[in-house]
Amino acid sequence: MSVYQTHRLGADCTAVLWKIEESEDELRALLTLTMPEQLELVQITHPAQRVEWLACRAAVRALVQAHWTYAGLYKDEYGKPHLIGLAAHVSISHTSGWAAAVLHHTKTVGIDIEPFREQFIRVVPRVLSDAEISHANGDLHRLAVYWCAKEALYKLYGKRQLTFREHLHIDPFADGAGLLTGHVRLPDDVRALTIHYFETGPGMLAVAF
């Protein structure tokens, strides 16, 4: 189906949501994969995950080609994706039947898509702070916002030494607000970040920058 929805989050940032209706062969036809990308794809054995992996890159390609020539993605030592030959920043996410990508011209960025799942309730103690647990109050919608927003922050930061409960924080929010303030709090790195979130597609989409 290609791009299902486009979210323009300012002059420098655009996110797209891709509803996956193509086969693996159809998605492969949209892309010219680099050798490292081909080797990465070979390691993915589950057919649905292969399709989601390809759809993410097709979504990135759609964003990039509005401005430049798309040459593919490479991953750094932490697994964070970067554009080959371009200084702009990207992030990708996928879930069953859906892929998402975001492009920011000047800032590091993170994106996440999530369906609404009862799992959010089970993982609360290791994901949310005491204040966040109190604010969520067991509400599945609020828990989904917290989870999705923290995933987006984690992908923005792009390193592995932080935990959701201790290092990533979301300020209390009004239901349906659509805009959050998130914080990364590490001994050597403290920053406040903007997070846009939408109830769409499979459930929830969040973009942090």
Side-chain angles (χ1 to χ4, degrees):
M1 179 174 177
S2 71
V3 173
Y4 172 81
Q5 199 171 68
T6 300
H7 296 276
R8 304 197 186 282
L9 307 175
D12 291 336
C13 185
T14 305
V16 293
L17 183 63
W18 186 294
K19 187 174 184 181
I20 304 173
E21 297 180 341
E22 302 86 354
S23 67
E24 180 175 333
D25 288 343
E26 288 171 330
L27 288 167
R28 283 291 299 265
L30 298 175
L31 299 163
T32 301
L33 299 178
T34 65
M35 184 58 66
E37 287 178 314
Q38 292 179 47
L39 292 174
E40 183 179 347
L41 181 59
V42 166
Q43 300 302 312
I44 304 172
T45 58
H46 194 287
Q49 291 177 356
R50 290 172 62 87
V51 169
E52 291 169 16
W53 186 96
L54 288 163
C56 283
R57 281 148 184 81
V60 171
R61 178 180 178 273
L63 284 168
V64 171
Q65 293 209 152
H67 308 278
W68 309 288
T69 299
Y70 178 66
L73 295 178
Y74 72 92
K75 291 185 176 179
D76 64 21
E77 61 186 300
Y78 302 105
K80 183 177 175 65
H82 301 270
L83 292 166
I84 294 173
L86 296 171
H89 304 272
V90 294
S91 182
I92 55 179
S93 181
H94 58 83
T95 191
S96 179
W98 299 86
V102 61
L103 170 74
H104 201 297
H105 289 232
T106 59
K107 295 181 179 180
T108 53
V109 66
I111 193 169
D112 189 56
I113 50 173
E114 299 284 347
F116 292 112
R117 297 179 289 180
E118 293 298 324
Q119 176 192 1
F120 296 142
I121 296 174
R122 297 198 300 273
V123 300
V124 158
R126 66 178 178 84
V127 172
L128 303 189
S129 68
D130 291 342
E132 291 165 343
I133 291 171
S134 177
H135 176 250
N137 196 30
D139 181 82
L140 184 59
H141 186 277
R142 287 186 180 179
L143 291 171
V145 173
Y146 275 116
W147 177 281
C148 201
K150 289 197 176 194
E151 283 279 6
L153 282 180
Y154 186 86
K155 291 182 177 182
L156 178 151
Y157 191 75
K159 297 180 182 177
R160 297 195 179 106
Q161 74 266 33
L162 43 73
T163 66
F164 280 29
R165 178 177 171 84
E166 295 180 15
H167 303 126
L168 302 177
H169 301 273
I170 308 297
D171 287 350
F173 53 88
D175 293 333
L179 196 63
L180 309 170
T181 299
H183 303 270
V184 175
R185 292 177 180 149
L186 290 163
D188 60 347
D189 190 355
V190 177
R191 61 177 100 171
L193 298 151
T194 298
I195 305 167
H196 297 258
Y197 74 93
F198 309 88
E199 192 169 326
T200 184
M204 190 70 63
L205 168 70
V207 178
F209 57 88

